[in-house]
Amino acid sequence: MKCRVCRGPAIIDIRRHNANFCAEHFLKLCRDQTAKAIADFDMILPGERVLIAVSGGKDSLALWDLLLEMGYDADGLYLGLGIGDYSDDSGTYVRAFAESRGARLIEVDLRAEYGYDIPTGARAARRAPCSTCGLSKRHLFDRAALDGGYDAVATGHNLDDEAAVLLGNVLHWHDEYLGRQLPVLAARNGFPRKVKPLVRLGEREMAAYCVVRGIDYQVDECPMAEGNRHLAYKDALNMLEKRSPGAKHDFYFGFLARASERFRTTIDAEQDALLECERCGAPTPSEICAFCRLVEKAAGAQPVTITTRGGAV
Amino acid sequence: MKVLLRNPRREIDVDGPVSVNTLLERLEINRESVIVIRGDELIPADTVLADSDQVEIRPVISGGAVDTQVRP
């Protein structure tokens, strides 16, 4: 295979672009696609400060690397989730990356600062682990961004993530979630701006980017995510992508162009009706926000230990 | 050749020579869901692997708490 740009030896084929790329031009493609997403959706303006939610996985570390390479003022925020060895290893990858780039890393440890970890919180609150994790991340990323005076929170959600979430929301017709599924959510009512600069890049490209750039990342899947529906949606979409290259891109960007606006009105009304949490001040539809209720339920709970297969004992 | 697979981590032996594409088809792995690495380098689908090669087939799919747009 030869690079589409320079005709040198290719290292990767990207079938939805019907093209192969050498290392140099593959990295350029990743930077160009990230820059296009930022520009097309007005994600980050010149001079703004960005807080990147980093997990130690390929997407968030690639995003951090890309934004630093592109000259953005980008700090990282890592949450210690307390998911056994998986979290220990993930933290090691994040710290090593930050040190290698001389980048600023903020760390928040759930157990030390809020008295729970994801396995324990999930059991105490009777929520699915991924739901408990998502709730914790959303709340703490928002708080850190507002407290630190950042202009935006950037996450490593890529095209595969967005297409899979869209598939799940369409399958079950979650109107309220469809209204929020945008590459940018503007700051309002106590929420910071949320941006997803990797929406034009696939999961395979992000893994390849890390290999080419020499970025070590957490390759293993989170032991608590095993068997979740989101992974099944990704498998289904990859089967379609194999038969019809570009299917994921057309699905997601077609939704943004042709349908997303139809789901916006209910969301605007819902957000205008939010109250302030009586304990932490975060926006919430009830008196106490979901995060504070989680912390309350998990307080004093017997710690849950994760087995190597993701079970909790 | 030695082929490293992940989730769960395991190593299998496969006879070469064989192209990356054919290897993935034999193992019934969707090429959209992995990258293939030899040494420290990515290798494209038409690369022919020798009996003496050691390669990693690395999954790229990650899941979990991705619903960060759900509020509040």
Side-chain angles (χ1 to χ4, degrees):
Chain A
M1 290 182 183
K2 292 185 176 177
C3 173
R4 178 171 78 178
V5 183
C6 68
R7 310 306 295 165
I11 59 156
I12 188 168
D13 59 300
I14 303 178
R15 295 172 71 221
R16 78 171 183 284
H17 291 310
N18 192 26
N20 313 310
F21 297 93
C22 68
E24 178 189 345
H25 291 112
F26 171 66
L27 294 179
K28 183 176 185 304
L29 173 86
C30 292
R31 286 192 294 268
D32 289 349
Q33 293 293 326
T34 304
K36 180 170 172 53
I38 290 172
D40 285 353
F41 298 104
D42 297 323
M43 291 184 180
I44 309 167
L45 301 175
E48 288 191 330
R49 294 176 66 229
V50 186
L51 183 63
I52 302 176
V54 285
S55 66
K58 64 187 188 312
D59 304 303
S60 57
L61 290 181
L63 173 62
W64 201 359
D65 189 62
L66 281 160
L67 292 187
L68 290 173
E69 284 288 303
M70 294 161 73
Y72 286 100
D73 182 356
D75 297 340
L77 171 63
Y78 172 72
L79 297 187
L81 302 171
I83 307 177
D85 293 343
Y86 177 81
S87 288
D88 295 341
D89 293 345
S90 299
T92 301
Y93 291 120
V94 172
R95 290 178 207 109
F97 178 86
E99 190 176 338
S100 71
R101 301 299 193 275
R104 182 178 181 227
L105 173 66
I106 302 165
E107 294 197 51
V108 175
D109 186 85
L110 282 183
R111 170 61 70 185
E113 298 188 36
Y114 295 94
Y116 75 99
D117 51 46
I118 295 302
T120 306
R123 178 174 288 181
R126 298 185 178 182
R127 297 179 72 119
C130 292
S131 164
T132 307
C133 186
L135 166 61
S136 304
K137 286 178 174 176
R138 289 190 300 276
H139 181 90
L140 294 172
F141 290 151
D142 288 354
R143 169 177 284 190
L146 294 171
D147 289 350
Y150 290 92
D151 297 292
V153 173
T155 57
H157 293 95
N158 57 47
L159 174 60
D160 291 65
D161 292 322
E162 294 306 295
V165 170
L166 178 59
L167 178 59
N169 287 338
V170 168
L171 280 176
H172 301 288
W173 290 113
H174 291 311
D175 291 27
E176 70 281 20
Y177 296 167
L178 287 166
R180 297 179 183 120
Q181 200 179 346
L182 299 167
V184 176
L185 286 179
R188 60 180 295 186
N189 294 354
F191 292 111
R193 187 191 324 149
K194 301 271 188 72
V195 302
K196 301 177 179 179
L198 301 184
V199 290
R200 299 188 59 84
L201 291 160
E203 203 147 41
R204 189 165 162 267
E205 287 121 79
M206 295 298 55
Y209 180 89
C210 286
V211 172
V212 174
R213 290 283 291 161
I215 298 170
D216 287 331
Y217 65 91
Q218 174 63 276
V219 175
D220 294 336
E221 180 56 273
C222 174
M224 307 207 78
E226 189 175 331
N228 78 11
R229 278 186 299 183
H230 186 74
L231 293 175
Y233 297 147
K234 285 189 171 180
D235 278 342
L237 286 167
N238 275 335
M239 286 175 57
L240 295 172
E241 185 78 16
K242 185 180 178 188
R243 287 188 168 225
S244 176
K248 286 181 285 196
H249 179 279
D250 292 348
F251 180 46
Y252 177 59
F253 282 92
F255 165 76
L256 291 181
R258 301 177 188 181
S260 68
E261 191 61 32
R262 301 178 191 204
F263 298 95
R264 288 295 303 165
T265 50
T266 54
I267 304 312
D268 291 340
E270 187 183 299
Q271 291 205 337
D272 287 342
L274 291 176
L275 310 169
E276 276 191 12
C277 173
E278 290 181 356
R279 293 183 189 167
C280 71
T284 174
S286 54
E287 293 176 353
I288 308 295
C289 75
F291 180 77
C292 286
R293 293 200 304 271
L294 169 62
V295 171
E296 184 177 58
K297 287 177 182 172
Q302 183 74 23
V304 173
T305 304
I306 297 300
T307 67
T308 53
R309 299 191 64 177
V313 295
Chain B
M1 79 193 72
K2 300 286 187 191
V3 180
L4 172 65
L5 302 167
R6 300 271 195 158
N7 296 333
R9 190 184 180 99
R10 60 209 187 275
E11 194 171 86
I12 60 172
D13 288 307
V14 176
D15 291 334
V18 63
S19 73
V20 168
N21 232 347
T22 304
L23 174 65
L24 295 177
E25 281 175 12
R26 277 191 202 162
L27 297 174
E28 297 183 345
I29 294 172
N30 186 339
R31 56 183 284 171
E32 297 297 332
S33 64
V34 295
I35 53 174
V36 182
I37 302 167
R38 182 172 58 190
D40 293 328
E41 295 189 343
L42 274 182
I43 48 176
D46 66 344
T47 303
V48 176
L49 300 167
D51 234 2
S52 57
D53 279 336
Q54 294 192 9
V55 298
E56 176 187 351
I57 299 177
R58 183 179 292 185
V60 300
I61 295 180
S62 55
V66 297
D67 58 337
T68 60
Q69 300 294 47
V70 181
R71 287 177 172 178

